Amino acid sequence: MAKAKLKLVFTTLQHKNIINVIVLFLLLFNNLCFCAHWDHAVDLDNDYRLLWSITNNQDITFEVQARTLGYVGLGFSKDGTIYGADVVVGWVDQGQVHFQDRHVKKHGDGEPVVDPSQDYVLLLGYENATHTVLRFKRKLDTCDVAYDIPITNDTMRLIYMYHDNEPRAGSIGPGSLPSPAEAFKQSRPLFLTQRVNQVPIRLDSRTQILELRNTDVELPIADDTLHWCKMFKLTDINRKHHLIRYEPVFESTASVPYLNHVILYECQGSSPELEIMSRENGRPCYLADRPLLTCNSIVAAWTRGSEGFTFPDEAGYPLDSNQARFYLMETHYSNIQVDLSEVDVNAKPMVDNSGMKIYFTTNLRKHDAGVLSVGMDPNWRHIIPPGQERVVSEGHCVEECTQSAFPRPGINIFAVMMRTHQIGRQVKLRQIRHRDELLPIAYDKNADSNYQEYRRLSTPVRVLPGDRLIAECVYDSSTRKAITLGGMTTREETCIVLTLYFPRQKELTTCHSLPSLPTVLHSLGINELVAGSNPVRIASPAELAGMTLETRLISYDWKDNFDSFQYVTRRGSFKPLCWSAKNTLIRGTENIDSYAPNITKTWKPQLTCSFQQRGNNHNFYNNRNHYVTESETNVDISLMDDEDDITNNIIEGAARSKVSRSSATESMGLSGVNSLYYISFSSHT
């Protein structure tokens, strides 16, 4: 009897232990699979969701949720193609997870082959009735210099894949993946380390929503471009509010390819012209016979590829009808995806009613935010020669402008958006203090003209009065046969960096520069122009006398003269353009000429294991371009003396100039705060 009782107790304890183990497992599994917190999430298509978080500034963890019971993959590409891509592939076969670090050979057949070094770590893998889920991690830089691509602050080109079938019995040999060409879907440009999420916003009684839409705008035909301006009079915001979020509003999917950017400007004053425009349906923005508008403070901006922008908790853009009641919305329409061979010029034009939705609240944040545009003013003097793999252009926000406008403690930049057009490849926002070059505020060595989103800096960067900011852009014109000029259309080029900062000041809203005419002439080998000539003709040197300036631009031997051109344009004089919110130049800056700074100490990036021999003890993560913003050692260099000034008669419009001064910025698009996603797998079906 005692033995039977003891056996019963032991059996009961065993049963309880088994139950406890099962309950503990289910709790752990539930926490692991369904209740993970993620910093970022994006649907790459309707059947593929990607989630990720970065930990310790060194590791990145991904989760793929794909609607398939076959194999799935995620990869990184330098140019958006599969060739040379770094890929991870996995699948679940009868409960067993197969997972491999692979790569696609640069000149191979397109099939991912298994890496000799397995640098991805599987954390979780399972499938249910509809989806396959893989969770894994890797180092931001795995140091696999042969087959892996480092994850940096650059625009990353993600490639993703999924297929209905899976390899047989975990096979990993050549030809084992069923139809990899079919499994690869497309590439997607994305920020992985500085992305700002458009998380659902919590609405309350103090938050209002307003849609600002265009009215029946005829879309351009073929590859034409259109800048359309519509004025809004907001009289109901009768006390101070903070704009805390905005997002694009598309009339239909058909109009999306035409939309390049939408920018909302705040206008100063209440002139009759503003009142008249507010009663119209809109008009083309740049008309020579129209007066200059006092609308030069950027409020909100969306650009192609952007989801919109959510302000961080500490800042919002101030809106108050008692301070400003007129707002100008500029929409740039340009269909860069059009196939000209299929265009019917006789077809009835499409019309568009897209615009922007803004969220604003009486629950004021700690700081008023502002937007400052830094870069090269859109103008024909911004010349990019053809047939060159690397052309550098620089737009300066000079010391005199920041000294005059910024408050004594300075401003704090917490987000930036870097903008070029089709041939821009790299963009850097440089900061110069006295003769020392500090860490770049932002740097993208892999820019994409179709994805130019605001990125959030991990730590706000302080810019003091007297600092110089330089927007530096690198272009690849190797495929172009003719010069590219600066301008507002997508066929022209631009070099703009928008900075989002606090506290707001109105003295300086646009801080650009433009090469002086003497610098442009010197870069083309021209000494003097014929005064008053139309078309503009060259007076000297003798071998060019009588030639028109336009002919010189078209026929110049860029191949042999590119180095001297680049030197003169970067070291020659330029005209600072420091515009206030009222679209007037800051007093005292109207007549100054400037030069590139004579820097004695410069920032130098630390090389990483992906760019040097293994074994060197360098710290990869002390570089803003690689996620962390910490100071680095300055390196002494000697720069060449400033180029001598060139005197000549100033002739505006020597070549075509399409740009008026109502909007100095051909760029824009904002992003937002770094909040956490709470993801439930069951909610994504």
Side-chain angles (χ1 to χ4, degrees):
M1 183 71 178
K3 285 185 177 180
K5 196 170 185 179
L6 182 62
K7 184 175 181 181
L8 178 61
V9 171
F10 181 75
T11 303
T12 303
L13 288 173
Q14 276 189 319
H15 183 64
K16 287 183 177 179
N17 287 337
I18 292 172
I19 291 175
N20 287 338
V21 169
I22 292 173
V23 169
L24 180 61
F25 174 79
L26 289 175
L27 286 172
L28 289 173
F29 186 80
N30 183 62
N31 286 334
L32 190 63
C33 298
F34 303 102
C35 301
H37 289 268
W38 297 97
D39 293 335
H40 310 280
V42 64
D43 292 330
L44 298 182
D45 67 21
N46 292 332
D47 298 319
Y48 193 108
R49 170 171 284 188
L50 178 67
L51 309 98
W52 73 96
S53 293
I54 296 173
T55 56
N56 303 321
N57 297 328
Q58 294 188 5
D59 299 321
I60 185 167
T61 301
F62 294 100
E63 181 166 297
V64 171
Q65 301 173 356
R67 194 190 304 272
T68 182
L69 300 182
Y71 71 90
V72 301
L74 175 71
F76 309 100
S77 167
K78 294 180 179 179
D79 57 7
T81 68
I82 64 173
Y83 298 100
D86 169 17
V87 184
V88 64
V89 175
W91 66 94
V92 181
D93 183 7
Q94 298 181 353
Q96 182 177 356
V97 183
H98 300 270
F99 182 82
Q100 299 124 19
D101 181 1
R102 298 187 175 218
H103 67 277
V104 180
K105 294 180 179 180
K106 188 69 176 177
H107 303 290
D109 59 4
E111 180 184 3
V113 296
V114 178
D115 284 7
S117 175
Q118 294 290 300
D119 298 304
Y120 290 75
V121 178
L122 179 68
L123 302 177
L124 168 71
Y126 67 94
E127 63 182 17
N128 59 17
T130 59
H131 284 69
T132 296
V133 176
L134 295 175
R135 185 180 299 173
F136 50 92
K137 71 175 184 178
R138 58 161 280 181
K139 297 290 185 184
L140 291 176
D141 190 354
T142 67
C143 297
D144 182 353
V145 296
Y147 301 119
D148 288 350
I149 294 177
I151 295 174
T152 71
N153 286 352
D154 295 336
T155 302
M156 302 296 297
R157 267 73 167 186
L158 272 66
I159 59 175
Y160 65 101
M161 58 191 303
Y162 55 91
H163 197 275
D164 291 338
N165 301 318
E166 57 193 29
R168 294 182 180 179
S171 175
I172 62 173
S176 59
L177 289 181
S179 308
E182 178 185 337
F184 278 114
K185 303 308 175 186
Q186 59 183 357
S187 68
R188 171 81 175 267
L190 205 64
F191 300 150
L192 289 178
T193 62
Q194 293 182 320
R195 186 173 187 269
V196 183
N197 301 305
Q198 281 288 80
V199 297
I201 192 170
R202 182 175 297 176
L203 300 176
D204 55 34
S205 59
R206 292 180 292 183
T207 303
Q208 300 181 57
I209 303 174
L210 179 64
E211 286 193 2
L212 306 174
R213 286 179 174 258
N214 287 305
T215 305
D216 294 335
V217 180
E218 288 192 3
L219 297 177
I221 298 175
D223 62 345
D224 289 340
T225 192
L226 172 66
H227 288 81
W228 189 257
C229 282
K230 181 174 173 62
M231 186 71 69
F232 296 90
K233 184 178 182 181
L234 306 183
T235 57
D236 297 332
I237 308 177
N238 51 20
R239 55 178 291 195
K240 184 177 180 179
H241 291 65
H242 267 159
L243 172 68
I244 57 174
R245 178 189 176 99
Y246 70 84
E247 57 196 35
V249 179
F250 302 121
E251 182 183 24
S252 69
T253 56
S255 61
V256 171
Y258 289 86
L259 288 161
N260 189 277
H261 74 236
V262 181
I263 312 164
L264 186 66
Y265 294 93
E266 175 188 299
C267 303
Q268 306 299 311
S270 299
S271 69
E273 180 70 13
L274 300 179
E275 182 69 42
I276 292 171
M277 287 187 66
S278 69
R279 300 175 184 178
E280 301 174 346
N281 286 338
R283 63 174 67 160
C285 294
Y286 305 118
L287 298 175
D289 60 340
R290 297 291 184 178
L292 203 62
L293 299 177
T294 57
C295 309
N296 201 38
S297 292
I298 298 170
V299 178
W302 171 91
T303 191
R304 194 193 306 270
S306 170
E307 298 175 356
F309 178 66
T310 301
F311 282 82
D313 292 338
E314 66 268 22
Y317 190 95
L319 301 176
D320 187 346
S321 297
N322 296 316
Q323 301 296 323
R325 63 181 61 189
F326 292 100
Y327 293 84
L328 180 71
M329 187 171 74
E330 174 187 299
T331 306
H332 179 191
Y333 294 99
S334 178
N335 188 3
I336 64 173
Q337 303 175 8
V338 67
D339 184 349
L340 296 179
S341 64
E342 299 180 359
V343 172
D344 182 3
V345 294
N346 297 316
K348 185 178 179 180
M350 293 173 52
V351 296
D352 178 64
N353 294 274
S354 299
M356 186 178 290
K357 180 187 294 186
I358 62 174
Y359 300 73
F360 50 99
T361 179
T362 56
N363 185 18
L364 301 180
R365 272 83 185 280
K366 182 178 180 180
H367 299 290
D368 288 349
V371 179
L372 173 66
S373 177
V374 178
M376 181 81 81
D377 213 54
N379 190 280
W380 73 269
R381 293 186 190 177
H382 181 195
I383 300 172
I384 302 173
Q388 305 296 325
E389 293 184 355
R390 180 182 172 85
V391 182
V392 180
S393 298
E394 294 165 325
H396 296 254
C397 179
V398 298
E399 296 85 348
E400 291 87 346
C401 300
T402 63
Q403 183 70 53
S404 173
F406 290 175
R408 180 174 296 179
I411 63 171
N412 301 280
I413 297 175
F414 62 89
V416 300
M417 195 278 291
M418 299 181 281
R419 176 75 170 162
T420 66
H421 286 162
Q422 297 181 37
I423 60 174
R425 297 294 179 265
Q426 298 183 22
V427 185
K428 182 194 302 184
L429 181 59
R430 300 165 58 193
Q431 182 180 8
I432 314 297
R433 182 168 296 159
H434 306 302
R435 291 193 172 189
D436 294 352
E437 179 160 10
L438 310 182
L439 272 169
I441 295 174
Y443 190 11
D444 192 338
K445 294 182 292 186
N446 198 28
D448 189 324
S449 61
N450 291 313
Y451 179 73
Q452 299 188 333
E453 179 81 270
Y454 256 83
R455 58 183 80 206
R456 179 73 181 273
L457 305 181
S458 57
T459 303
V461 177
R462 178 165 294 185
V463 182
L464 298 178
D467 285 0
R468 178 183 293 215
L469 299 176
I470 304 174
E472 178 181 293
C473 298
V474 177
Y475 305 93
D476 180 357
S477 64
S478 57
T479 61
R480 297 203 169 179
K481 305 300 182 183
I483 62 170
T484 302
L485 301 180
M488 305 295 286
T489 72
T490 52
R491 293 188 297 270
E492 297 163 318
E493 265 303 337
T494 191
C495 179
I496 297 292
V497 177
L498 283 187
T499 67
L500 192 57
Y501 70 91
F502 63 80
R504 185 191 182 205
Q505 49 78 37
K506 291 186 178 182
E507 285 298 311
L508 184 63
T509 58
T510 300
C511 198
H512 292 177
S513 69
L514 194 61
S516 67
L517 186 60
T519 293
V520 173
L521 297 179
H522 189 187
S523 72
L524 298 171
I526 300 172
N527 295 336
E528 187 179 7
L529 298 177
V530 177
S533 57
N534 186 15
V536 178
R537 295 188 179 276
I538 300 170
S540 66
E543 61 270 22
L544 301 179
M547 181 184 294
T548 66
L549 179 57
E550 182 180 1
T551 301
R552 183 61 170 171
L553 284 168
I554 295 171
S555 62
Y556 195 52
D557 187 349
W558 295 108
K559 183 178 180 180
D560 291 341
N561 296 297
F562 173 73
D563 289 342
S564 62
F565 166 85
Q566 186 77 102
Y567 174 82
V568 171
T569 54
R570 297 187 69 184
R571 302 298 299 168
S573 64
F574 59 83
K575 173 66 177 176
L577 298 170
C578 310
W579 299 93
S580 71
K582 295 182 178 180
N583 219 352
T584 57
L585 289 172
I586 293 179
R587 183 175 298 177
T589 68
E590 303 95 329
N591 300 311
I592 63 174
D593 287 326
S594 294
Y595 294 86
N598 188 16
I599 299 172
T600 55
K601 291 185 178 180
T602 187
W603 167 84
K604 183 178 180 180
Q606 296 278 354
L607 296 179
T608 77
C609 54
S610 289
F611 303 99
Q612 62 185 10
Q613 295 293 326
R614 295 185 186 183
N616 289 357
N617 189 24
H618 288 280
N619 187 354
F620 163 62
Y621 300 101
N622 284 344
N623 182 339
R624 264 202 198 114
N625 197 48
H626 300 90
Y627 189 64
V628 178
T629 55
E630 296 180 358
S631 299
E632 297 187 12
T633 304
N634 287 324
V635 179
D636 289 328
I637 63 167
S638 295
L639 294 182
M640 292 172 282
D641 294 335
D642 290 339
E643 177 73 6
D644 291 336
D645 193 11
I646 309 166
T647 57
N648 210 316
N649 53 329
I650 302 302
I651 301 178
E652 294 295 338
R656 61 186 175 85
S657 177
K658 293 186 177 180
V659 181
S660 70
R661 226 350 292 164
S662 66
S663 168
T665 2
E666 152 59 353
S667 74
M668 321 338 153
L670 302 166
S671 24
V673 302
N674 186 18
S675 15
L676 293 176
Y677 273 93
Y678 184 82
I679 301 297
S680 169
F681 173 70
S682 60
S683 69
H684 182 61
T685 56

